[in-house]
Amino acid sequence: MEGLSTLKKLPKKNRELDSRLKEAGLGLSFDFIVRKIDYGDQNIHLYAVNGLCETRYIMKILDELSALHEMDRRKNFKALVDQRIIHHSVEIIDMEDVLIRQVFSGLIAIKIDGEEECFLIDVRTYPGRQPEEPDNEKVVRGSRDGFVENIIVNTALTRRRIRDKGIRFEMLELGERSKMDVAIGYIEGIANKELVDIIRQEINQIHTDGLIMTDKSLEEYIVKQGFNPYPLVRFTERADIAAEHLLEGHICIYIDTSPSVIIAPSTFFHHVQHAEEYRQSPAAGTMLRFIRFTGIAASIVLLPLWYLMAIDPSLKPDSLSFIGVKEEAAIPLIIQLLLADIGIEFLRMAAIHTPTPLSTAMGLIAAVLIGQIAIDVGLFVPEVILYVSVAAIGTFATPSYELSIANKFARIFLLILTAFFHTTGFIIGITVLIVFLAQMRVFTVPYLWPLLPFRPLALLQIVARAPITGTVIRPMIVKAEDRVRQRRSH
């Protein structure tokens, strides 16, 4: 469809324009329609895509146009039509590719025969759901309006929380064929301009048919993720989290048709925080954070560490003499751990694909039949089921789904090294994991900041949930133009 991307001026004759638009599906696709209207010796064509436009607005506009009187037609007909279009968003364009792109985005085009320009009117109404609380970021107390698949709604949810005159949403278009709307959100005067320019440049350099997988595909382009399992940007479906990060100086990337917003830059510790910590008192939030950190650490090192003590009892102190395997099994212990860990992943995928009315039955089958019978027949020893389950709970306690999957990779890596090289393998595995995370950078930001490089005050705010009144400056990593969040009154 090379013709669609070639810049062409609109022809004066509507008949010629209709002929050209056949390449875009006019008369071939049932939803790409043209409404032809005659007003005396004047001819008007209205182009629209059925399903993306609000029919009531179109009818009102047609009613106004039909009210043109005979005496009015002797005047400038184009100016009269412009006056009769009762809508706040009207634009005049003269390029054919712009008409096609905007009509396919949900606008309507009104073309007067004999004119080289046409009117674009924004009467979009995209099909979608209403804002509701995201399933993967629930809180006990707090707002229940999460992002949806409509980029206009998502930016409105953010602006509702930040009414600053400096908030900006720069709209870009992505995809040679999909023409996906992408908005870069930031607060002018706070966000670092160089970082905004870098993200804008990275997005403009993307040349592909389309990013139908939206946010995840965009992440792979702008941060060059490759086969790195660890998430390099943070995703959120909560409007309050996105607004808070904008106030910190971060940049949010909104993608149409995606209910998730990309937050950049982000570090490892951004993925272990949860909104619930800030909906409770600082003491309760700190306790929740400690428990969550413990669960995340257990999801990585618990299985390899238990396996190391099980195969080398000399490493166990007397107080941990109960750790180990009490009975033998026909299958090697490392195979049991890997099978059980993979089995947990089977159950997770089955839970996603199982209809809700059947999920309870699936859980009973997994817990009662599979687990217990696997122990009874000697496939697993009981300790394996116990520790794999605890590690899985730690995985589920990780706020970021992407980070939990990456930690599963790290756990299996440590298990295999420990199986081959025992204590040496466990130490080497931990060292390689830390070095791997330490050398990662996202938009020049160290991934393990503020642990590496060590920033004690910033690390203290991550380990403990500090009171809001004590949060005076913005994080160093965003390089905000205005670092002060709270100015003390004199």
Side-chain angles (χ1 to χ4, degrees):
M1 298 296 293
E2 184 180 352
L4 294 183
S5 59
T6 304
L7 296 178
K8 294 181 180 179
K9 289 282 188 177
L10 288 174
K12 286 187 176 182
K13 294 298 182 180
N14 287 352
R15 183 180 303 175
E16 183 180 349
L17 179 59
D18 292 348
S19 178
R20 289 188 188 179
L21 292 182
K22 286 183 179 180
E23 296 182 16
L26 184 65
L28 302 175
S29 296
F30 77 93
D31 55 346
F32 188 14
I33 60 175
V34 55
R35 175 72 166 89
K36 301 178 181 180
I37 311 164
D38 291 324
Y39 295 112
D41 57 348
Q42 297 287 350
N43 177 261
I44 296 178
H45 285 191
L46 185 148
Y47 303 94
V49 172
N50 191 17
L52 298 182
C53 305
E54 180 58 61
T55 306
R56 293 176 301 170
Y57 296 149
I58 298 178
M59 295 303 298
K60 289 181 180 180
I61 292 173
L62 292 177
D63 287 341
E64 286 294 323
L65 293 179
S66 65
L68 292 172
H69 299 293
E70 187 70 32
M71 58 178 296
D72 293 333
R73 297 193 188 107
R74 300 170 189 161
K75 302 177 183 178
N76 188 331
F77 191 71
K78 179 182 175 182
L80 290 175
V81 172
D82 190 9
Q83 294 174 7
R84 291 289 184 175
I85 297 177
I86 52 170
H87 200 273
H88 62 277
S89 179
V90 181
E91 182 183 359
I92 298 177
I93 56 103
D94 61 353
M95 302 302 296
E96 181 182 329
D97 66 312
V98 176
L99 181 147
I100 295 173
R101 186 172 67 249
Q102 297 290 11
V103 169
F104 284 0
S105 297
L107 284 71
I108 62 172
I110 294 180
K111 173 74 166 58
I112 303 173
D113 195 37
E115 297 288 343
E116 294 181 342
E117 298 175 327
C118 75
F119 298 99
L120 281 180
I121 308 165
D122 191 348
V123 292
R124 285 177 286 193
T125 172
Y126 291 151
R129 57 190 175 91
Q130 294 298 315
E132 57 188 16
E133 185 176 18
D135 289 334
N136 56 350
E137 292 180 280
K138 290 183 178 292
V139 294
V140 177
R141 299 187 61 215
S143 60
R144 297 291 189 266
D145 56 340
F147 290 131
V148 294
E149 289 75 16
N150 190 323
I151 190 173
I152 305 299
V153 175
N154 293 344
T155 54
L157 288 173
T158 306
R159 191 176 286 276
R160 182 182 179 188
R161 288 168 168 80
I162 304 177
R163 304 178 184 181
D164 184 77
K165 63 181 181 180
I167 191 168
R168 302 286 184 267
F169 295 107
E170 293 186 15
M171 189 71 76
L172 305 175
E173 196 174 77
L174 192 58
E176 299 294 332
R177 295 182 182 272
S178 66
K179 308 296 183 183
M180 188 74 68
D181 290 328
V182 177
I184 303 175
Y186 61 95
I187 300 179
E188 190 172 353
I190 296 180
N192 183 270
K193 292 183 179 179
E194 293 182 4
L195 182 57
V196 175
D197 292 338
I198 290 174
I199 293 178
R200 186 190 300 113
Q201 181 179 357
E202 291 290 341
I203 294 177
N204 287 329
Q205 289 178 351
I206 299 174
H207 301 287
T208 183
D209 282 350
L211 298 180
I212 304 304
M213 294 299 135
T214 58
D215 47 11
K216 191 58 186 175
S217 301
L218 184 60
E219 176 198 6
E220 295 183 18
Y221 273 104
I222 64 177
V223 297
K224 312 299 189 293
Q225 185 176 22
F227 284 95
N228 183 358
Y230 278 89
L232 302 181
V233 297
R234 182 179 179 181
F235 298 96
T236 183
E237 295 183 30
R238 295 190 61 90
D240 50 2
I241 292 180
E244 178 62 26
H245 279 82
L246 286 174
L247 290 173
E248 286 185 356
H250 293 264
I251 297 171
C252 293
I253 305 175
Y254 300 75
I255 307 99
D256 196 29
T257 74
S258 173
S260 298
V261 166
I262 294 177
I263 299 175
S266 62
T267 67
F268 178 89
F269 296 103
H270 281 95
H271 299 279
V272 300
Q273 298 177 359
H274 193 270
E276 182 65 25
E277 300 162 3
Y278 295 91
R279 295 293 183 177
Q280 306 296 333
S281 66
T286 301
M287 181 192 68
L288 292 175
R289 189 169 290 184
F290 276 140
I291 296 174
R292 184 173 291 111
F293 286 174
T294 303
I296 295 173
S299 70
I300 301 175
V301 302
L302 179 63
L303 281 185
L305 188 59
W306 175 81
Y307 174 70
L308 180 62
M309 292 185 179
I311 61 177
D312 191 355
S314 63
L315 297 174
K316 294 186 295 183
D318 294 337
S319 58
L320 298 178
S321 58
F322 61 90
I323 292 180
V325 179
K326 303 299 186 295
E327 56 188 64
E328 296 295 329
I331 301 178
L333 189 58
I334 182 63
I335 302 299
Q336 294 183 47
L337 290 172
L338 293 176
L339 286 177
D341 210 1
I342 294 174
I344 293 291
E345 195 66 18
F346 283 162
L347 295 176
R348 183 193 64 81
M349 289 189 292
I352 294 175
H353 303 307
T354 302
T356 303
L358 301 178
S359 58
T360 303
M362 188 206 69
L364 292 174
I365 292 173
V368 178
L369 298 181
I370 298 179
Q372 187 59 46
I373 293 177
I375 295 174
D376 292 341
V377 301
L379 181 62
F380 297 136
V381 296
E383 292 84 358
V384 167
I385 299 296
L386 170 64
Y387 290 103
V388 168
S389 300
V390 174
I393 293 173
T395 299
F396 298 147
T398 307
S400 170
Y401 176 66
E402 293 78 17
L403 181 62
S404 67
I405 295 178
N407 288 341
K408 183 182 285 289
F409 277 99
R411 179 170 70 238
I412 294 176
F413 172 71
L414 290 176
L415 270 174
I416 294 175
L417 280 184
T418 305
F420 279 103
F421 305 107
H422 296 188
T423 304
T424 304
F426 181 79
I427 295 174
I428 291 176
I430 293 293
T431 304
V432 169
L433 179 61
I434 294 175
V435 171
F436 174 72
L437 295 177
Q439 59 83 32
M440 288 170 51
R441 288 179 174 269
V442 185
F443 299 115
T444 71
V445 175
Y447 196 58
L448 289 184
W449 184 92
L451 181 61
L452 294 174
F454 185 64
R455 296 289 186 269
L457 294 179
L459 184 61
L460 180 61
Q461 289 193 339
I462 289 177
V463 174
R465 206 284 257 179
I468 297 298
T469 54
T471 308
V472 179
I473 61 175
R474 308 182 204 278
M476 182 187 304
I477 58 170
V478 298
K479 299 178 182 179
E481 295 184 0
D482 180 9
R483 289 205 64 196
V484 180
R485 292 201 64 173
Q486 298 186 47
R487 290 176 170 81
R488 307 297 185 184
S489 58
H490 298 287

